Every structure is written in structure tokens, then in C-alpha cells.
Amino acid sequence: MDPPRKGLDNNTINNLIKMKPKKIIYISCKPSTLVRDLNKLEAHYKIEKITPVDLFPWTRTR
């Protein structure tokens, strides 16, 4: 999945739980919504790996 910054809505999360995919790969550009959504999914899925990636490596920080 590659949801918008607002993350997944409850309807999408409920549909995922009903569909029971073996694996979910979630690409997020906003860590706070990633954590929120993982908290909702962890009752049904085991979180095995999180890999942070700099999506904008050439952007300067101030």
C-alpha cells in the first residue's frame, strides 16, 4: 500500500482484515499515520520489519 499522508481510513483497514492477505507492504511518507495504522493492524498481523528510507535524500534540512 502507498496511502496518502492521512493514512488509511477505517473502512480500508477493515477490508484488509476481512480479505486476510498473507503479507502487507506499507509505504509511508508520514511516520505518525504509519504508527497509527500499524497499531490497528497488529491484532491481526505480526510486524516483522520496518525499514526507514530517506525519500528526499538531496533535500537540505534547516
Side-chain angles (χ1 to χ4, degrees), residues 4-48:
R5 287 184 179 265
K6 67 179 182 173
L8 299 174
D9 59 30
N10 286 329
N11 189 41
T12 302
I13 290 174
N14 290 333
N15 284 333
L16 278 170
I17 292 167
K18 288 178 189 175
M19 291 171 37
K20 300 179 184 177
K22 287 184 180 183
K23 183 185 282 190
I24 297 173
I25 299 173
Y26 188 123
I27 300 168
S28 177
C29 61
K30 190 171 181 187
S32 60
T33 56
L34 170 64
V35 169
R36 182 200 66 204
D37 294 346
L38 290 178
N39 282 330
K40 293 176 183 178
L41 291 167
E42 71 180 342
H44 304 276
Y45 288 92
K46 178 182 173 189
I47 301 167
E48 294 184 2

